[in-house]
Every structure is written in C-alpha cells, then in structure tokens.
Amino acid sequence: KCHQASQEAWRLPHSGSALRWYKLVRAIKWVDEVYEGAPYSCSVELLEKLNCDFCAHGDDISFSPDGTDVYGIVKKAGKLKVYKRTQGISTTDLVGRMLLMTKQHFGPHTEEMQDCEDVKSSVPKSPFTGSFPFLATSERIVEFSDGKVKKPQPGDTVVYVAGAFDMFHVGHVDFLEKCMTLGNFIIVGLHNDWDVNHYKGCNYPIMNLHERMLSVMACKYVSEVVIGAPYSINAELLDQFKVDVVAHGRTPIKLDRDGSDPYLVPKQRGIFKTIPSGSQLTTATIVERIIANALEYQDRNSSKEEREVTGLSKNSA
C-alpha cells in the first residue's frame, strides 16, 4: 500500500490539486492502493489502520521545522524500512533547475542547445538534497522494468507515442490512459535532450533523457520505451516494432530541422491518430506556476536545507 502525504503549508507550496497527485500515484505500476489525505508524519496507529506491516521511505529522511525526524515514531517501533534513493534527482533539484534556468543536467551535445542564462545556485546543500550527477546503469533500468522483457503477443495492437514526457505528470497519465483505447501494447519513444530543446527551447527539458526514461518506465500503461527515439518517425522504426497506430496529443507539432513533418510516414500509412488527453496540465504550466511563486519556492528549498542540516546535527548529538 502507498499513502500520499499531504503537503503542509510549511513544506511545499501547492502546484496542483490533490486529485492530480492521487491519480499520478495510482498510475505507478508498483502501487496497489492510495490512502488519500494522509498526515505528513506517519504513526503506528495509521499503519495498523491501513493494515500495513511497515512504512517505507528513502534515505533522505524528512525533518519537521524544529528538526525532528517525522518518521522517528515508526522507526522506534521497528516499522520503518529505509531504501536508498536515486542519487542526482530530487524535487528540490528539479525546482532549482526551473528557477535558476540551469542546463548542467543535459546529456551530450549541449553545444546544440539554445542559449539560456545559466545561474549558479549559492544555496548550501545538505547530504540529502545535495545534487549528485544522475548516472543511468543497466541495473537501474532492470529494476524499473521489473527484470522482464515485454513483447507484444499475437493479436495485440501496438501503439507508438513519442515526445519529451518531461517532469512526468498527470497530463501524461491522462494521455497514455486514452492511448489504451487504441491498443493494448504502448511503446513510448523518448526524444533526446537536444531534440526536446529544439522544439521547446530555453533550458527544456527540465529532466534529462535518462531521468525521463525512468519516470516513463514506472507508468503501468507503458509496455516499452525507446530511449533517444528519432524525432521524425521513419519506416524502419514502424516496421521494427510492428506499430499499428501512431498517436499524438493536441499539442502543436514542430517541423524537423529540415522542414519535414515528423509524422509524415505514419500519416502516409494511414495509422496516425490524434487523441486529446482531456487534461489542461502541461509541463509548461507547472514551470509557470513555480516561477510565478519563485520566492516562495526558493524559501521552501532554503528552509528544507536548513531543517535537514539541523536534523542531522540534532540526531548525531
């Protein structure tokens, strides 16, 4: 079971409704159940109410404003299991990328990126929120794929969708859910960082290719991911994956660098479908909300760093 902690005023300004969070968490393939409106601090009583054997958390333990470990109670009861978090990626780091317009997270070929002011952060880093370079490994990919190789079975309808899927959010979930009405084997083609930057500009994508890959692989609607897929969908790709339908949302399609339509081949084959997600949420709207509340988010990040440093000092004393 997974319970979604409520975002209290001191912790994080709201960037979306709770219903969106719940739907996004439910779309994660490892989640069986979501307990809505759970308190930020977990208790033994809550675990018993939910019939949970233990509470799980990453090794970036959370602290309250006074430096108290919010999982201290369940830890003392022997009901806390700590798992190593993925280094190099965190909510704090992502907010920093948006506010500071940084590009250090991009993959190779950064010389092809559009110019965008790159500001260095002077905020001190704690051991938890400090940013280490994210390194993709075969072990991590296997973990996110459940160690299984998925292949379409006879009679399956293969649907191919391509895009950035940056900062994977409920708008993406809505779209992929709609794609399931077109077929039952969904392949997501993830564009590389410089292709995304070509049609998004500035410091997009906020998350680099490998970070976006793990986010998409975690979605229960996705059967396969093509890492660094070509921007223009060619015949070789369609034939190799035996694609029956190519789907795209309502977002404008930018022409390839040579001026060609990236969806020309699937359109010629008559397999191109436009499918609305029904959601108004986009990566751009999330970034706009955070930038509009820049000072509040900067204060949030700074206070979070201070709480973690205070908590570490208090617990080691």
Side-chain angles (χ1 to χ4, degrees), residues 43-45 47-48 53 71-80:
S43 65
V44 175
E45 291 75 19
L47 293 179
E48 292 175 346
D53 298 312
Y71 290 94
I73 295 177
V74 291
K75 183 185 295 182
K76 289 180 181 179
K79 291 183 174 293
L80 177 69

Side-chain angles (χ1 to χ4, degrees), residues 165 171 196 201 212 249:
F165 290 87
V196 175
R212 292 183 283 120

Side-chain angles (χ1 to χ4, degrees), residues 18 29 44 46 68 129 132 157 190 197 236 239 249 252 279 283 309:
K29 60 186 178 182
V44 175
L46 179 62
T68 302
T129 57
F132 300 90
T157 299
L190 284 179
N197 188 253
E236 291 76 14
D239 293 340
S279 174
T283 301
V309 172

Side-chain angles (χ1 to χ4, degrees), residues 29-30 141 144-145 212-219 222 225:
K29 60 186 178 182
W30 300 290
I141 294 175
F144 274 68
S145 62
R212 292 183 283 120
M213 170 195 68
L214 296 186
S215 298
V216 172
M217 290 177 69
C219 180
V222 177
V225 177

Side-chain angles (χ1 to χ4, degrees), residues 172-184:
H172 296 131
V173 172
D174 289 335
F175 172 66
L176 293 170
E177 190 176 37
K178 290 291 181 63
C179 287
M180 291 294 291
T181 65
L182 302 176
N184 57 350

Side-chain angles (χ1 to χ4, degrees), residues 6-155:
S6 58
Q7 291 183 306
E8 299 180 28
W10 58 266
R11 182 169 182 261
L12 177 65
H14 290 276
S15 60
S17 72
L19 293 179
R20 289 173 179 163
W21 304 336
Y22 301 148
K23 182 167 185 177
L24 180 60
V25 174
R26 286 189 175 99
I28 299 174
K29 60 186 178 182
W30 300 290
V31 174
D32 298 309
E33 183 180 339
V34 175
Y35 177 65
E36 300 183 3
Y40 185 60
S41 298
C42 185
S43 65
V44 175
E45 291 75 19
L46 179 62
L47 293 179
E48 292 175 346
K49 175 183 177 180
L50 299 176
N51 194 29
C52 292
D53 298 312
F54 60 87
C55 175
H57 197 276
D59 57 2
D60 53 332
I61 298 301
S62 299
F63 296 97
S64 63
D66 63 0
T68 302
D69 181 353
V70 298
Y71 290 94
I73 295 177
V74 291
K75 183 185 295 182
K76 289 180 181 179
K79 291 183 174 293
L80 177 69
K81 288 188 180 292
V82 177
Y83 296 91
K84 188 172 180 59
R85 64 186 288 270
T86 302
Q87 286 191 328
I89 183 69
S90 67
T91 304
T92 302
D93 183 46
L94 291 179
V95 170
R97 294 179 192 180
M98 286 179 271
L99 295 180
L100 301 175
M101 308 302 286
T102 57
K103 296 188 291 184
Q104 292 97 329
H105 59 283
F106 284 142
H109 295 79
T110 52
E111 69 276 4
E112 297 184 26
M113 301 297 178
Q114 295 183 15
D115 290 335
C116 186
E117 184 179 3
D118 197 358
V119 184
K120 300 290 186 181
S121 172
S122 59
V123 178
K125 299 295 183 181
S126 81
F128 297 145
T129 57
S131 179
F132 300 90
F134 172 76
L135 300 176
T137 64
S138 57
E139 179 183 9
R140 185 55 50 84
I141 294 175
V142 169
E143 288 175 347
F144 274 68
S145 62
D146 294 333
K148 302 174 183 177
V149 177
K150 294 183 180 179
K151 293 184 179 181
Q153 301 301 309

Side-chain angles (χ1 to χ4, degrees), residues 255-262:
L255 299 180
D256 208 337
R257 289 177 174 82
D258 61 1
S260 63
D261 180 354

